[in-house]
Amino acid sequence: MALESAFVSANAPFGATSLTLRRKIIELNWPLVMLLAMIALTGTAMQYSAAGGWTPWAVQHIMRFGVGVVMMVGVAMVDIRNWMRLAYPIYAVALLLVIAVEIMGEIGMGAQRWIDFGFIQLQPSEIMKIALVMVLARHFHSLKPDRVSHPAALFLPLVLVLVPVALVLRQPDLGTAILLLAASGGLMFIVGVSWKYFAAGFAAVGAALPIAWSFLHEYQKDRIYTFLDPERDPLGSGYHILQSKIALGSGGVFGKGFMAGTQSHLDFLPEMHTDF
C-alpha cells in the first residue's frame, strides 16, 4: 500500500493537494529508519571497540548520523513531485562540482577527489551518486513503458551516466566509477530496459578489458594483482588482505569479542576504524 500510495502521489498532477506534515511523518518508512539506525549504531560500537573509547571516531560517527537522520527526514517531508522538478538542476550542480574537482580539487592519498570549502571538504562524486539516480528516474518516468527500450530513449541516459563516470575515472576513483555504473545499470534494469542491451554492454566491456588495462594506473593494477595473489607482497600491497584473513581465522565465527580485537588493539592495522 505504501508503494502504491507513493506511485499515485508521483503521478498525480503537479497541482494536487499535498499531505499534511503530520500525515507525512506517520507515513514515513519507519522500519527502514530503524534498520538504518541499527546499522549506524553497530558501526559506532565497532569504532568504540577499535579505539577503546568514544574518541576519536565513535563520537564523530554518532553525531554525523544524528545530523544525517534529520536531513533524511527533512528530505522525506518534501513532496516527491518537487524532487522530480529538481532532478535535472541537482544533476547539473553535481556535474559542475565534479568538473570543479579537475580545477580546484584537493589531493589526498594519491587522488584528487575533494573540494575544500574551508568549513567542509566535499567529495562531489558522492553527490553524483544521488543526482544520477534522481535524473535517470525522472527521465524514465516521463516515458511510456513501450518506449523504455527504444534506442532514441536510451541516448540521453547513456550520456548522463558516461560523462560523470569518465570524470570520476580521471580523479582517479575506479571504485566510485564502478558504483555509478552499477547503480545506473540496476535502475535501468528495474524500469524495464531490454536484457539485450545489458548483454551487449557486458560483451563490449569484456572485449575492451585488454585495452582498458593499459589505461589503468599502476596502483590500480597492483590492487588487481594483490586480489589474485595477496602473498606476492605480504608487507606491502597484500598486507591488509592478509591481516583480514588472520582476523577471520583467529576470531572464528563469533570473533574475539567486544574491545578484544587483536588486529586493531595491537596496531596491526594503520586504518583500524574504516570499513576494513
Side-chain angles (χ1 to χ4, degrees):
M1 288 297 294
L3 181 61
E4 182 181 359
S5 300
F7 181 78
V8 171
S9 176
N11 285 275
F14 279 5
T17 304
S18 299
L19 297 175
T20 63
L21 179 61
R22 178 175 176 274
R23 191 63 188 173
K24 287 180 179 179
I25 294 175
I26 293 174
E27 293 194 0
L28 274 178
N29 192 337
W30 287 108
L32 176 61
V33 174
M34 295 304 297
L35 177 61
L36 292 173
M38 290 172 61
I39 293 172
L41 291 175
T42 301
T44 303
M46 293 176 69
Q47 291 185 326
Y48 184 100
S49 176
W54 283 103
T55 57
W57 306 309
V59 66
Q60 294 181 5
H61 186 268
I62 199 68
M63 288 174 62
R64 288 170 179 166
F65 175 68
V67 173
V69 167
V70 173
M71 293 176 63
M72 179 176 64
V73 173
V75 167
M77 294 298 100
V78 178
D79 195 311
I80 193 173
R81 291 164 290 182
N82 291 326
W83 292 122
M84 290 174 64
R85 294 188 186 98
L86 292 171
Y88 284 105
I90 290 175
Y91 175 86
V93 172
L95 185 61
L96 288 174
L97 287 172
V98 173
I99 294 173
V101 172
E102 292 287 320
I103 303 170
M104 52 185 292
E106 292 286 319
I107 297 177
M109 301 184 74
Q112 186 170 323
R113 304 172 185 172
W114 295 269
I115 300 176
D116 191 351
F117 289 103
F119 62 95
I120 188 175
Q121 276 198 330
L122 185 67
Q123 188 172 354
S125 59
E126 294 297 318
I127 300 175
M128 180 54 72
K129 291 178 183 177
I130 301 172
L132 194 53
V133 170
M134 289 180 64
V135 77
L136 290 177
R138 179 67 182 90
H139 172 77
F140 285 109
H141 176 82
S142 65
L143 299 176
K144 294 181 179 179
D146 60 348
R147 293 281 299 172
V148 167
S149 290
H150 195 279
L154 292 175
F155 176 75
L156 178 59
L158 287 176
V159 173
L160 293 173
V161 172
L162 294 179
V163 169
V165 166
L167 290 170
V168 170
L169 281 173
R170 280 182 53 85
Q171 294 179 1
D173 191 351
L174 180 62
T176 299
I178 292 174
L179 284 175
L180 291 175
L181 285 172
S184 303
L187 190 147
M188 291 182 186
F189 180 79
I190 290 171
V191 301
V193 174
S194 174
W195 64 269
K196 296 179 181 178
Y197 290 105
F198 292 98
F202 284 122
V205 170
L209 282 178
I211 301 173
W213 179 262
S214 63
F215 288 96
L216 291 179
H217 294 261
E218 286 303 317
Y219 83 93
Q220 292 170 333
K221 293 180 180 179
D222 198 46
R223 285 183 178 180
I224 296 174
Y225 287 137
T226 300
F227 172 76
L228 297 174
D229 181 19
E231 303 283 350
R232 62 187 289 270
D233 188 9
L235 297 179
S237 58
Y239 180 81
H240 279 76
I241 191 169
L242 290 176
Q243 291 299 320
S244 70
K245 292 170 71 175
I246 294 172
L248 288 170
S250 62
V253 176
F254 299 102
K256 287 293 185 68
F258 188 66
M259 302 282 289
T262 53
Q263 304 308 106
S264 56
H265 288 286
L266 296 180
D267 291 330
F268 283 103
L269 304 177
E271 301 290 343
M272 65 186 74
H273 64 292
T274 66
D275 54 0
F276 173 84

